[in-house]
Amino acid sequence: MRLLDVLGPVMIGPSSSHTAGAARLGNIARILLGEPPVQARIILHGSFAATYRGHGTDLALVAGLLGFAPDDERIRDSFAWAAREGLEFSIETGDLGDVHPNTARIELTSRSGKRLSVVGSSVGGGKVEITEISGLPVSLTGEKNTIVAMYPDRPGVVAGITSILAKVGVNIATMRVARSGRGKTAVCVIEVDQDIPEEVVQEVRQLPTIENVIVVRAQ
Amino acid sequence: MTLAELAQRALAEGISLGRLAVILESEETGIPLDEIVARVRDMVRVMKSSVSEGLGRVEASMPVRPGVLERARRSRSGLSGGDAAKVAGRIASGRNLPGNFLLAKSVAYALAVSEVNAAMGKIVAAPTAGSCGVIPGTFLALAEVSGAGEEDLVDALSAAGLIGQVIGERVGLSGAQAGCQAECGSAAAMAAAGLVQLAGGSPEDCIHAAAFALKGLMGLVCDPVAGLVEVPCVKRNATSAAVALASAEMALSGVRSRIPPDEVISAMAQVGKMIPPALRETSQGGLAVTPTGLRVSREMANRSSVCMHPMPKRPGNIEYTTLTQIRPHFDDPHR
Ligand code: SF4
């Protein structure tokens, strides 16, 4: 365990899992959407559903969707900020099945009509894991710089992405591809050791059939 | 690494435990020394502002927003808030127990930071959000009396962190893993070691102070009412601060733990495993299931939700919404 894991994070209370982690989840969902959301539907599961009022999990998730970091003092006023920024949202409680007790499902729509659903869990100490993007199973913690690419499944796309990364010397730490079926939508999540230069993102975007490329930077 | 090895190494190199912590972190992660120190310094500054906010003080450096003090006084659940100001007020009027100035201040500050945490204010989780009041409470109270400066506090916080690392590796630092002994107990041990360093004690003194605190709080269960980090957590931060001060006082006097500090941590790990799940952050035992604890828990669950638009009831359990119309169930194209 590292010194800077024991000391910190600097965060808005009261709970690293139910408040700080929730803000981070909202944040990653916003980044994955790629545009500011204007509508959000949030479904809280398990311990999130049971204790969200006292822990401000709802406020923190909405704050994250607005792009506020887990130590942003605007978290406790995030509903007012949402009104100001034009984000409509609903908070629901429900059963998301066999998932971590601190799990939320977030469904987002951007102004241009882009839609995305994300399922993520707050796994302790403010750390999170996104387990599903638009119905596809993934694992994304945001602890390393991560590239998320979505595209209609076709041979050669993954090889295309990895060769672009290799060319600029970006080292792949982990990689996972999921698809809803052969030839259907696929998502590729690649965690890397280095920074991801903007030109890499541009180049990946140029690959045939790529629909969307998002970079989630480590925090 | 064991506490004994760490103390030995610090002594051999003629550096404080805090400095050793920074050096080891830098070796491990490759982050430059200055950057680590800067990060810890930021935390010391946040700790100071948490105390100020919790006491309802407004400082020039603090952004003043309407309602901020009101909120600082009460948590969202209404279960905590305002107690730090009571203790601080009594000290200010000189009515604290005779000669009890440092302890009373530590208690007021520890309450202040914990109340700020419960009220969704900014804190440093050290080691956790639930136990975030112990270290700033004791450190800042002592610094006020002794005149210790910011760099001393940075060094003491680093030393505290090193103790936390050892406990974290061998026991864990969450109530769910090993009960509150792992949160408030660890915080008290970390604080005790840091206090000793602030007072000029040796690395050896520091680890014995940590051992006294762990022994004093060994077996402490985690039983938060309604699953919220408020009751008993806020007041447990204050009482743990007292344990830290008593432990530091003994260690600085040359008192030694009969059970070596590393064996104390092993015992703590063993006890943690023996604490039943009902007393490990599940709110199924202890104070959480007292008649009052259960009543509070029911009230929290039944509290009427804010409904900003009239909502049709449906199986999804809509708690509230600002959506002008609820969209049909979001269809994943791939489901
Ligand atoms: S009682 Fe449990 S939740 Fe409260 S401070 Fe202790 S370990 Fe944390």
Side-chain angles (χ1 to χ4, degrees):
Chain A
M1 188 174 273
R2 288 175 37 195
L3 180 69
L4 295 175
D5 286 333
V6 175
L7 302 177
V10 174
M11 55 169 270
I12 300 300
S15 162
S16 54
S17 56
H18 289 64
T19 321
R24 182 76 179 127
L25 277 180
N27 224 249
I28 295 182
R30 175 190 172 100
I31 294 169
L32 289 173
L33 182 66
E35 295 170 13
V38 293
Q39 287 199 325
R41 178 169 175 233
I42 298 171
I43 303 166
L44 303 171
H45 167 94
S47 173
F48 266 13
T51 65
Y52 78 87
R53 292 184 191 85
H55 284 135
T57 310
D58 46 353
L59 289 165
L61 280 163
V62 169
L65 290 175
L66 292 167
F68 300 171
D71 67 346
D72 192 317
E73 296 196 70
R74 292 172 297 179
I75 287 179
R76 53 188 165 195
D77 299 322
S78 72
F79 289 0
W81 282 95
R84 210 161 118 172
E85 308 273 311
L87 170 65
E88 295 187 334
F89 60 89
S90 75
I91 306 285
E92 298 169 42
T93 52
D95 187 354
L96 297 175
D98 185 18
V99 289
H100 189 281
N102 302 331
T103 297
R105 179 183 167 83
I106 306 171
E107 300 169 355
L108 298 176
T109 309
S110 76
R111 196 173 304 281
S112 72
K114 221 158 129 186
R115 284 179 157 202
L116 181 86
S117 75
V118 163
V119 176
S121 310
S122 180
V123 297
K127 296 190 191 302
V128 301
E129 185 187 6
I130 302 290
T131 54
E132 204 183 294
I133 298 175
S134 292
L136 297 168
V138 297
S139 171
L140 193 169
T141 61
E143 278 166 49
K144 284 184 174 299
N145 290 323
T146 307
I147 302 175
V148 181
M150 285 167 250
Y151 51 91
D153 177 37
R154 224 177 76 167
V157 178
V158 174
I161 300 173
T162 52
S163 69
I164 292 171
L165 291 175
K167 207 170 56 192
V168 290
V170 173
N171 192 36
I172 294 176
T174 71
M175 183 169 96
R176 182 164 169 179
V177 183
R179 59 180 193 187
S180 44
R182 194 197 281 211
K184 302 221 177 102
T185 298
V187 55
C188 176
V189 177
I190 305 175
E191 291 184 315
V192 302
D193 291 330
Q194 290 87 357
D195 189 29
I196 302 165
E198 184 53 34
E199 60 262 29
V200 165
V201 181
Q202 292 307 337
E203 214 174 316
V204 173
R205 210 161 266 154
Q206 300 303 313
L207 287 173
T209 82
I210 289 280
E211 274 170 7
N212 203 0
V213 185
I214 298 286
V215 172
V216 181
R217 289 195 199 281
Q219 282 188 352
Chain B
M1 264 219 199
T2 64
L3 288 178
E5 286 165 356
L6 292 166
Q8 228 161 31
R9 179 160 167 194
L11 191 69
E13 296 183 15
I15 53 177
S16 68
L17 270 189
R19 188 63 191 168
L20 179 60
V22 173
I23 292 171
L24 291 175
E25 178 81 347
S26 179
E27 280 173 8
E28 174 89 1
T29 61
I31 305 174
L33 292 171
D34 302 352
E35 208 177 306
I36 296 167
V37 171
R39 296 268 290 274
V40 179
R41 188 180 302 117
D42 282 344
M43 294 186 206
V44 168
R45 291 183 182 159
V46 172
M47 285 178 168
K48 287 180 184 163
S49 67
S50 309
V51 168
S52 297
E53 182 168 348
L55 293 176
R57 271 193 222 135
V58 179
E59 289 186 346
S61 62
M62 271 175 68
V64 182
R65 297 175 310 277
V68 69
L69 295 182
E70 204 38 60
R71 268 195 305 265
R73 272 184 223 116
R74 286 227 83 76
S75 68
R76 204 174 179 213
S77 68
L79 287 179
S80 68
D83 292 337
K86 280 185 196 159
V87 179
R90 193 154 174 278
I91 300 170
S93 63
R95 289 182 295 123
N96 50 288
L97 291 177
N100 199 31
F101 187 70
L102 176 61
L103 178 61
K105 277 241 142 159
S106 300
V107 164
Y109 291 0
L111 288 174
V113 177
S114 294
E115 286 177 354
V116 164
N117 179 56
M120 298 193 79
K122 196 193 238 182
I123 55 97
V124 183
T128 62
S131 58
C132 68
V134 182
I135 292 175
T138 51
F139 281 19
L140 297 176
L142 179 63
E144 224 175 271
V145 178
S146 75
E150 189 164 87
E151 291 315 302
D152 300 325
L153 288 168
V154 170
D155 200 33
L157 183 54
S158 307
L162 189 61
I163 304 290
Q165 280 178 280
V166 176
I167 302 172
E169 264 156 31
R170 290 172 53 196
V171 187
L173 293 170
S174 75
Q177 283 169 293
C180 198
Q181 60 166 359
E183 292 205 13
C184 284
S186 301
M190 293 162 67
L195 287 170
V196 166
Q197 192 179 291
L198 273 177
S202 69
E204 184 74 8
D205 295 340
C206 292
I207 66 170
H208 282 269
F212 295 140
L214 291 180
K215 293 199 287 187
L217 293 170
M218 188 170 291
L220 191 64
V221 301
C222 170
D223 49 356
V225 168
L228 303 178
V229 192
E230 294 191 63
V231 181
C233 319
V234 171
K235 282 151 199 149
R236 225 169 238 175
N237 273 266
T239 49
S240 301
V243 169
L245 286 166
S247 303
E249 202 70 73
M250 285 191 279
L252 283 163
S253 314
V255 179
R256 288 296 172 260
S257 178
R258 285 279 176 227
I259 309 295
D262 289 295
E263 290 183 33
V264 171
I265 295 183
S266 303
M268 178 190 177
Q270 185 209 26
V271 168
K273 291 207 182 84
M274 293 166 88
I275 296 176
L279 294 168
R280 281 195 266 128
E281 218 176 300
T282 52
S283 300
Q284 287 164 3
L287 297 167
V289 298
T290 53
T292 304
L294 289 172
R295 180 170 51 73
V296 168
S297 175
R298 270 195 307 275
E299 282 167 11
M300 287 299 300
N302 294 337
R303 185 176 289 194
S304 60
S305 327
V306 202
C307 198
M308 302 172 204
H309 286 287
M311 284 304 314
K313 271 282 173 215
R314 53 181 217 101
N317 275 342
I318 294 173
E319 303 281 314
Y320 51 85
T321 184
T322 63
L323 286 170
T324 34
Q325 67 180 71
I326 271 286
R327 289 169 287 126
H329 203 90
F330 196 92
D331 36 42
D332 279 323
H334 319 294
R335 273 223 144 147

